[in-house]
Amino acid sequence: MILVFTKRSLQPGVTALTIQGSIHCGPECARLEQEVDALITAHETRVIFDMAGVTHADSAAIGSLVRCLSKLKHAGGALRIAAAQPMINYSLKLTKVDQLIEMFPSVDQAAQGFSPAASVPTSSHPNPA
């Protein structure tokens, strides 16, 4: 199955990216990271990956998830995962990715309590030592 992304705004500053298909090494991982790059460019940095439709994720996909988290954090945002299928959920726990990325049973639960948009203050940076 071809990897399909659908983006929707849940609340101001929170975007759900629905992912359908199989994420494995190569073009699919690159496409996932490109989607996140586009979200960051659009200043959409609080992201929930809705993974209910993801049928397979290999080790390269898990690496891509961690890179997406890193990109979003660097942009002042955050990443959450929602509705991962049991086998994918198991893989994320086995690799301890669940300790890096918060995981939720549903998109609605992931959206609840998502902190207000993290903005990096530009005028109050401490002077470097």
mmCIF file of all heavy atoms in Angstrom, residues 34-52:
data_model
loop_
_atom_site.group_PDB
_atom_site.id
_atom_site.type_symbol
_atom_site.label_atom_id
_atom_site.label_comp_id
_atom_site.label_asym_id
_atom_site.label_seq_id
_atom_site.Cartn_x
_atom_site.Cartn_y
_atom_site.Cartn_z
ATOM 1 N N GLN A 34 9.920 14.481 5.225
ATOM 2 C CA GLN A 34 9.591 15.647 4.399
ATOM 3 C C GLN A 34 8.264 16.266 4.834
ATOM 4 O O GLN A 34 8.110 17.492 4.821
ATOM 5 C CB GLN A 34 9.537 15.263 2.919
ATOM 6 C CG GLN A 34 10.902 14.978 2.331
ATOM 7 C CD GLN A 34 10.838 14.298 0.963
ATOM 8 O OE1 GLN A 34 9.758 13.967 0.466
ATOM 9 N NE2 GLN A 34 11.999 14.077 0.368
ATOM 10 N N GLU A 35 7.316 15.417 5.222
ATOM 11 C CA GLU A 35 6.037 15.931 5.731
ATOM 12 C C GLU A 35 6.271 16.769 6.988
ATOM 13 O O GLU A 35 5.682 17.836 7.153
ATOM 14 C CB GLU A 35 5.070 14.785 6.042
ATOM 15 C CG GLU A 35 4.493 14.119 4.825
ATOM 16 C CD GLU A 35 3.484 14.983 4.086
ATOM 17 O OE1 GLU A 35 2.735 15.739 4.729
ATOM 18 O OE2 GLU A 35 3.449 14.888 2.847
ATOM 19 N N VAL A 36 7.129 16.276 7.870
ATOM 20 C CA VAL A 36 7.424 17.013 9.100
ATOM 21 C C VAL A 36 8.167 18.310 8.774
ATOM 22 O O VAL A 36 7.873 19.359 9.352
ATOM 23 C CB VAL A 36 8.211 16.128 10.094
ATOM 24 C CG1 VAL A 36 8.768 16.951 11.251
ATOM 25 C CG2 VAL A 36 7.307 15.021 10.623
ATOM 26 N N ASP A 37 9.094 18.254 7.832
ATOM 27 C CA ASP A 37 9.798 19.477 7.417
ATOM 28 C C ASP A 37 8.798 20.521 6.917
ATOM 29 O O ASP A 37 8.912 21.707 7.243
ATOM 30 C CB ASP A 37 10.822 19.172 6.312
ATOM 31 C CG ASP A 37 12.024 18.378 6.817
ATOM 32 O OD1 ASP A 37 12.279 18.375 8.036
ATOM 33 O OD2 ASP A 37 12.702 17.756 5.970
ATOM 34 N N ALA A 38 7.808 20.089 6.144
ATOM 35 C CA ALA A 38 6.788 21.003 5.618
ATOM 36 C C ALA A 38 5.948 21.586 6.756
ATOM 37 O O ALA A 38 5.596 22.776 6.734
ATOM 38 C CB ALA A 38 5.897 20.289 4.605
ATOM 39 N N LEU A 39 5.620 20.767 7.744
ATOM 40 C CA LEU A 39 4.858 21.266 8.894
ATOM 41 C C LEU A 39 5.660 22.334 9.636
ATOM 42 O O LEU A 39 5.119 23.376 10.016
ATOM 43 C CB LEU A 39 4.505 20.119 9.843
ATOM 44 C CG LEU A 39 3.454 19.130 9.347
ATOM 45 C CD1 LEU A 39 3.384 17.915 10.272
ATOM 46 C CD2 LEU A 39 2.094 19.789 9.224
ATOM 47 N N ILE A 40 6.943 22.074 9.833
ATOM 48 C CA ILE A 40 7.799 23.034 10.535
ATOM 49 C C ILE A 40 7.879 24.340 9.748
ATOM 50 O O ILE A 40 7.775 25.426 10.321
ATOM 51 C CB ILE A 40 9.194 22.430 10.798
ATOM 52 C CG1 ILE A 40 9.079 21.296 11.832
ATOM 53 C CG2 ILE A 40 10.176 23.499 11.269
ATOM 54 C CD1 ILE A 40 10.320 20.441 11.975
ATOM 55 N N THR A 41 8.026 24.231 8.437
ATOM 56 C CA THR A 41 8.074 25.420 7.584
ATOM 57 C C THR A 41 6.792 26.238 7.727
ATOM 58 O O THR A 41 6.824 27.467 7.703
ATOM 59 C CB THR A 41 8.295 25.017 6.109
ATOM 60 O OG1 THR A 41 9.543 24.330 6.018
ATOM 61 C CG2 THR A 41 8.323 26.220 5.190
ATOM 62 N N ALA A 42 5.664 25.551 7.910
ATOM 63 C CA ALA A 42 4.366 26.217 8.079
ATOM 64 C C ALA A 42 4.109 26.615 9.537
ATOM 65 O O ALA A 42 2.999 27.015 9.889
ATOM 66 C CB ALA A 42 3.251 25.309 7.581
ATOM 67 N N HIS A 43 5.134 26.490 10.386
ATOM 68 C CA HIS A 43 5.044 26.832 11.815
ATOM 69 C C HIS A 43 4.024 25.965 12.548
ATOM 70 O O HIS A 43 3.398 26.415 13.508
ATOM 71 C CB HIS A 43 4.748 28.320 12.014
ATOM 72 C CG HIS A 43 5.745 29.203 11.341
ATOM 73 N ND1 HIS A 43 7.045 29.322 11.771
ATOM 74 C CD2 HIS A 43 5.643 29.982 10.238
ATOM 75 C CE1 HIS A 43 7.701 30.133 10.970
ATOM 76 N NE2 HIS A 43 6.872 30.554 10.015
ATOM 77 N N GLU A 44 3.843 24.753 12.084
ATOM 78 C CA GLU A 44 2.979 23.775 12.752
ATOM 79 C C GLU A 44 3.910 22.780 13.432
ATOM 80 O O GLU A 44 4.346 21.807 12.824
ATOM 81 C CB GLU A 44 2.077 23.085 11.735
ATOM 82 C CG GLU A 44 1.148 24.046 11.016
ATOM 83 C CD GLU A 44 0.328 23.370 9.944
ATOM 84 O OE1 GLU A 44 -0.437 22.443 10.282
ATOM 85 O OE2 GLU A 44 0.459 23.767 8.777
ATOM 86 N N THR A 45 4.230 23.059 14.691
ATOM 87 C CA THR A 45 5.273 22.282 15.366
ATOM 88 C C THR A 45 4.772 21.412 16.509
ATOM 89 O O THR A 45 5.557 20.689 17.107
ATOM 90 C CB THR A 45 6.377 23.220 15.900
ATOM 91 O OG1 THR A 45 5.791 24.185 16.776
ATOM 92 C CG2 THR A 45 7.099 23.915 14.756
ATOM 93 N N ARG A 46 3.489 21.471 16.815
ATOM 94 C CA ARG A 46 2.917 20.536 17.792
ATOM 95 C C ARG A 46 2.109 19.537 16.984
ATOM 96 O O ARG A 46 1.028 19.845 16.489
ATOM 97 C CB ARG A 46 2.061 21.270 18.826
ATOM 98 C CG ARG A 46 2.930 22.147 19.728
ATOM 99 C CD ARG A 46 2.157 22.796 20.841
ATOM 100 N NE ARG A 46 1.061 23.594 20.302
ATOM 101 C CZ ARG A 46 -0.111 23.736 20.915
ATOM 102 N NH1 ARG A 46 -0.342 23.162 22.058
ATOM 103 N NH2 ARG A 46 -1.054 24.474 20.367
ATOM 104 N N VAL A 47 2.680 18.336 16.848
ATOM 105 C CA VAL A 47 2.165 17.367 15.884
ATOM 106 C C VAL A 47 1.796 16.061 16.572
ATOM 107 O O VAL A 47 2.510 15.580 17.456
ATOM 108 C CB VAL A 47 3.218 17.108 14.781
ATOM 109 C CG1 VAL A 47 2.728 16.081 13.776
ATOM 110 C CG2 VAL A 47 3.594 18.409 14.077
ATOM 111 N N ILE A 48 0.676 15.503 16.120
ATOM 112 C CA ILE A 48 0.256 14.167 16.553
ATOM 113 C C ILE A 48 0.268 13.275 15.320
ATOM 114 O O ILE A 48 -0.378 13.589 14.320
ATOM 115 C CB ILE A 48 -1.162 14.195 17.160
ATOM 116 C CG1 ILE A 48 -1.187 15.091 18.399
ATOM 117 C CG2 ILE A 48 -1.625 12.768 17.492
ATOM 118 C CD1 ILE A 48 -2.586 15.442 18.882
ATOM 119 N N PHE A 49 1.029 12.197 15.379
ATOM 120 C CA PHE A 49 0.994 11.208 14.305
ATOM 121 C C PHE A 49 -0.143 10.237 14.614
ATOM 122 O O PHE A 49 -0.079 9.503 15.598
ATOM 123 C CB PHE A 49 2.301 10.408 14.226
ATOM 124 C CG PHE A 49 3.457 11.129 13.590
ATOM 125 C CD1 PHE A 49 4.709 10.553 13.613
ATOM 126 C CD2 PHE A 49 3.310 12.350 12.957
ATOM 127 C CE1 PHE A 49 5.793 11.180 13.016
ATOM 128 C CE2 PHE A 49 4.389 12.991 12.366
ATOM 129 C CZ PHE A 49 5.639 12.401 12.392
ATOM 130 N N ASP A 50 -1.192 10.264 13.796
ATOM 131 C CA ASP A 50 -2.292 9.313 13.916
ATOM 132 C C ASP A 50 -1.871 8.075 13.133
ATOM 133 O O ASP A 50 -1.878 8.059 11.909
ATOM 134 C CB ASP A 50 -3.575 9.924 13.348
ATOM 135 C CG ASP A 50 -4.753 8.963 13.402
ATOM 136 O OD1 ASP A 50 -4.580 7.791 13.786
ATOM 137 O OD2 ASP A 50 -5.860 9.400 13.038
ATOM 138 N N MET A 51 -1.483 7.028 13.855
ATOM 139 C CA MET A 51 -0.919 5.839 13.222
ATOM 140 C C MET A 51 -1.893 4.671 13.164
ATOM 141 O O MET A 51 -1.489 3.531 12.959
ATOM 142 C CB MET A 51 0.384 5.451 13.933
ATOM 143 C CG MET A 51 1.440 6.541 13.801
ATOM 144 S SD MET A 51 3.019 6.126 14.538
ATOM 145 C CE MET A 51 3.592 4.823 13.466
ATOM 146 N N ALA A 52 -3.197 4.952 13.289
ATOM 147 C CA ALA A 52 -4.204 3.883 13.246
ATOM 148 C C ALA A 52 -4.147 3.115 11.931
ATOM 149 O O ALA A 52 -4.427 1.917 11.895
ATOM 150 C CB ALA A 52 -5.596 4.455 13.471
#
